[in-house]
Amino acid sequence: AGRSQGKMAAGGAADAQARFGHSVKGLLTEKVTSCGTDVIALTKQVLKGSRSAELLGQAARNMVMQEDAILHSEDSLRKMAIITTHLQYQQEAIQKNVEQSSNLQDQLSHLLK
């Protein structure tokens, strides 16, 4: 009777050890899967972050280009204002010449009568 109890105790211990090993394997598998999922999530976040930095850089370059275009437009508007002023002076001078020429025509026609 003592031997069969010893065999059963040894069998029970082996069974408990097998269950424990199986349980540890299950926990390890679960942890490995969890770590894998975390690594994938981290990788996605890093890629997203690098894409964000790339997009921010592109936006900054676009802003600099827009700023240059605005400065160039301002410069062109200043030049156009100066040209407009010169054209107004020329128009006034032409108008005076037309008035003087009509006065001269009147004088000539008066002299030729």
Side-chain angles (χ1 to χ4, degrees), residues 68-84:
D68 286 348
I70 288 170
L71 291 174
H72 181 71
S73 297
E74 284 178 346
D75 190 43
S76 295
L77 283 171
R78 258 187 246 106
K79 288 176 183 175
M80 286 167 57
I82 292 169
I83 291 170
T84 302

Side-chain angles (χ1 to χ4, degrees), residues 22-82:
H22 185 69
S23 170
V24 168
K25 268 187 186 176
L27 285 172
L28 279 174
T29 304
E30 193 178 306
K31 285 291 182 188
V32 167
T33 304
S34 173
C35 284
T37 304
D38 289 348
V39 167
I40 290 170
L42 179 64
T43 304
K44 284 180 181 176
Q45 196 61 38
V46 167
L47 288 174
K48 193 186 221 181
S50 68
R51 181 77 178 131
S52 295
E54 184 183 323
L55 290 173
L56 279 172
Q58 184 64 42
R61 284 191 292 278
N62 289 343
M63 250 173 76
V64 168
M65 286 171 50
Q66 290 298 322
E67 190 177 8
D68 286 348
I70 288 170
L71 291 174
H72 181 71
S73 297
E74 284 178 346
D75 190 43
S76 295
L77 283 171
R78 258 187 246 106
K79 288 176 183 175
M80 286 167 57
I82 292 169

